Amino acid sequence: MGSGPEFDYCVVIDDDDDILMASRLLLRRLFTDVATVRSPDEALPLVEARTPDVVLLDANFARGATDAAEGLAWLEKLLGVDPEMVVVMITAHAGVQVAVAAMKRGATDFVSKPWSNDKLLATVRTAASLRRSRNAVAVKGTAPVSAASVAAGTALLGHSPAMARVHSLISRAAPTEANVLVLGENGTGKELVARELHRQSLRADQVMLTVDLGAVSEDLIDSELFGHVKGAFTDARTDRVGRIQAADGGTLFLDEIGNLPLRLQPKLLTVLEQRQVTPVGANKPVPVNIRVIAATNLPPEKLRDENHFRQDLLFRLNTVEIDLPPLRERLEDVPELIEHYLDHYAKRYGRPHPQLSAAARAGLLGHDWPGNVRALRHALERAVILARDVPLEPEDFALVSSAPRIAPSAVVAPRPPDDLNLERVERRLVEEALRKHGYNISLAAHELGLSRAALYRRMEKHGL
């Protein structure tokens, strides 16, 4: 991936000039063109003339209004222009009714003012990716992607016996209300399983919200999941709806559930047992109707260690347990994955479908892929981007052997690199740590001396 904007066009509609300025400067990281307007009337000609990847729409425009009636009405008008339009609601009064009403009427997600820049960027990037996947589906002439879908737009591929068992479990569990726990190494496709479970469920026409507990700092998880009321703590200037409430009626996907702090695990257990949630600082619980899908890369022995994870919570989460096999245990699926991703990235980057030399194909089929499907996908994307008009060779894939690691006593100081550019050195170090630890984020972050969230930010920065 290049270092420039990932997407083409975004429209921001808000009556606060400071919000417009801040969002324009921030979103230029993601979009080549960011249009900002003070009223939805001004926005209509813009979205009719040119399809935006994302529209950010304020919930309230009239002075003193807090009920979001005007924003919800304009949401319906915008979706009337283009039913596939991706709209993210902006609200300074993030009550659960506003957030849920917006998403039930077709909004993709919401952000609360004042926002965290990282949170806004993550939300808008996901929304723009959803639009991109819808466009790709439309070109192929298949069924449209629903608003409840999450963004990556990639199918759960593979027809090996191991994957046949996974597909069978999904088809049997999806139509039920059972909570599902998805286990598997990093890069095996746990989010894809969650997406497929939601797609085949009775809640498919409702929202599916994701919380990546590995990317949210520990001190923010409480508010992110459960929400808070105004005045609950120093920076709580408004009510904020939590993801549990916002997913009411739909599916909540808790990725990296092993990162949920022990102090918050009883609170999540209460939600699952009593079907109600109490925002931080609130006096009364609020009823919720959600189905929970959780995922973790923790090994079973650690997951079943009471000192790390409450067993009564585990019992609630793993009514059905789906264990995703690593790619090295289903190598017969690699040819299908290769063809899928070569085709996908060739179309994405406007390149001809590349050919593989016999040596390159043998190298890909013979590699044990410690980073699983994610590592294979990254290798193929890189090769497509750098491809010349000749068959791809083994060196185009930068495959790293998984030979046994050198014992600590034999480690010597690395030779200083010839290239001392700080950005490129940082990228190389992050890539090396990820490869060394088989794309295990926790281990790579520990070796780099970073938090998981900080490593995720650097991976995002360098397109990893």
Side-chain angles (χ1 to χ4, degrees), residues 85-214:
M85 189 176 296
V86 169
V87 181
V88 174
M89 293 293 291
I90 309 171
T91 174
H93 303 274
V96 62
Q97 294 87 354
V98 173
V100 173
M103 286 186 288
K104 285 186 176 179
R105 295 192 193 190
T108 299
D109 209 332
F110 68 95
V111 292
S112 303
K113 294 187 285 190
W115 58 55
S116 152
N117 286 347
D118 288 343
K119 175 66 177 173
L120 178 68
L121 287 171
T123 299
V124 174
R125 176 181 282 109
T126 298
S129 298
L130 173 59
R131 180 73 203 206
R132 175 180 284 167
S133 70
R134 285 176 174 172
N135 291 343
V137 168
V139 168
K140 291 182 179 180
T142 56
V145 179
S146 72
S149 299
V150 286
T154 304
L156 186 65
L157 301 172
H159 293 86
S160 61
M163 287 306 294
R165 288 192 293 273
V166 170
H167 285 291
S168 175
L169 283 171
I170 290 173
S171 65
R172 284 180 283 162
T176 74
E177 288 294 294
N179 293 331
V180 179
L181 179 64
V182 186
L183 305 176
E185 297 176 8
N186 280 312
T188 49
K190 296 185 289 296
E191 185 178 356
L192 298 180
V193 171
R195 193 181 311 164
E196 192 62 19
L197 284 164
H198 178 73
R199 189 187 69 81
Q200 295 185 31
S201 77
L202 302 178
R203 298 170 180 259
D205 60 344
Q206 299 294 320
V207 298
M208 173 178 171
L209 291 184
T210 297
V211 182
D212 185 348
L213 296 170

Side-chain angles (χ1 to χ4, degrees), residues 307-323:
N307 294 319
H308 186 83
F309 205 87
R310 288 182 62 113
Q311 297 308 288
D312 46 3
L313 176 57
L314 179 61
F315 175 76
R316 286 284 178 181
L317 291 171
N318 71 345
T319 306
V320 175
E321 192 171 286
I322 298 178
D323 195 352

Side-chain angles (χ1 to χ4, degrees), residues 97-390:
Q97 294 87 354
V98 173
V100 173
M103 286 186 288
K104 285 186 176 179
R105 295 192 193 190
T108 299
D109 209 332
F110 68 95
V111 292
S112 303
K113 294 187 285 190
W115 58 55
S116 152
N117 286 347
D118 288 343
K119 175 66 177 173
L120 178 68
L121 287 171
T123 299
V124 174
R125 176 181 282 109
T126 298
S129 298
L130 173 59
R131 180 73 203 206
R132 175 180 284 167
S133 70
R134 285 176 174 172
N135 291 343
V137 168
V139 168
K140 291 182 179 180
T142 56
V145 179
S146 72
S149 299
V150 286
T154 304
L156 186 65
L157 301 172
H159 293 86
S160 61
M163 287 306 294
R165 288 192 293 273
V166 170
H167 285 291
S168 175
L169 283 171
I170 290 173
S171 65
R172 284 180 283 162
T176 74
E177 288 294 294
N179 293 331
V180 179
L181 179 64
V182 186
L183 305 176
E185 297 176 8
N186 280 312
T188 49
K190 296 185 289 296
E191 185 178 356
L192 298 180
V193 171
R195 193 181 311 164
E196 192 62 19
L197 284 164
H198 178 73
R199 189 187 69 81
Q200 295 185 31
S201 77
L202 302 178
R203 298 170 180 259
D205 60 344
Q206 299 294 320
V207 298
M208 173 178 171
L209 291 184
T210 297
V211 182
D212 185 348
L213 296 170
V216 181
S217 62
E218 184 173 330
D219 57 338
L220 294 178
I221 289 178
D222 201 350
S223 178
E224 182 75 11
L225 277 180
F226 305 104
H228 64 249
V229 298
K230 182 179 180 180
F233 46 86
T234 303
D235 293 327
R237 300 183 182 91
T238 63
D239 290 353
R240 172 173 177 160
V241 61
R243 292 279 155 160
I244 290 173
Q245 286 178 267
D248 188 43
T251 302
L252 180 68
F253 175 46
L254 298 176
D255 200 6
E256 303 282 10
I257 188 67
N259 287 80
L260 184 66
L262 269 172
R263 64 180 177 84
L264 293 179
Q265 291 180 20
K267 196 168 182 178
L268 178 60
L269 178 61
T270 298
V271 171
L272 298 179
E273 288 180 336
Q274 301 180 8
R275 296 293 168 178
Q276 57 186 22
V277 62
T278 304
V280 178
N283 296 319
K284 293 192 304 182
V286 180
V288 289
N289 171 20
I290 58 170
R291 184 201 194 167
V292 173
I293 300 171
T296 182
N297 60 5
L298 286 181
E301 61 272 14
K302 192 166 186 180
L303 191 62
R304 289 169 174 80
D305 179 357
E306 187 73 45
N307 294 319
H308 186 83
F309 205 87
R310 288 182 62 113
Q311 297 308 288
D312 46 3
L313 176 57
L314 179 61
F315 175 76
R316 286 284 178 181
L317 291 171
N318 71 345
T319 306
V320 175
E321 192 171 286
I322 298 178
D323 195 352
L324 267 177
L327 190 54
R328 62 183 174 275
E329 293 180 7
R330 57 181 188 103
L331 290 175
E332 57 265 59
D333 289 329
V334 171
E336 178 183 352
L337 292 164
I338 290 173
E339 290 309 309
H340 173 83
Y341 287 117
L342 285 179
D343 181 66
H344 173 79
Y345 288 119
K347 290 178 179 176
R348 177 173 177 178
Y349 295 111
R351 304 290 179 84
H353 192 290
Q355 301 300 311
L356 297 178
S357 71
R361 185 170 294 276
L364 292 172
L365 294 176
H367 195 60
D368 62 1
W369 298 110
N372 294 297
V373 179
R374 181 183 298 146
L376 172 61
R377 188 179 76 232
H378 285 171
L380 293 166
E381 181 180 18
R382 177 184 182 275
V384 168
I385 292 171
L386 301 178
R388 299 153 295 178
D389 294 329
V390 294

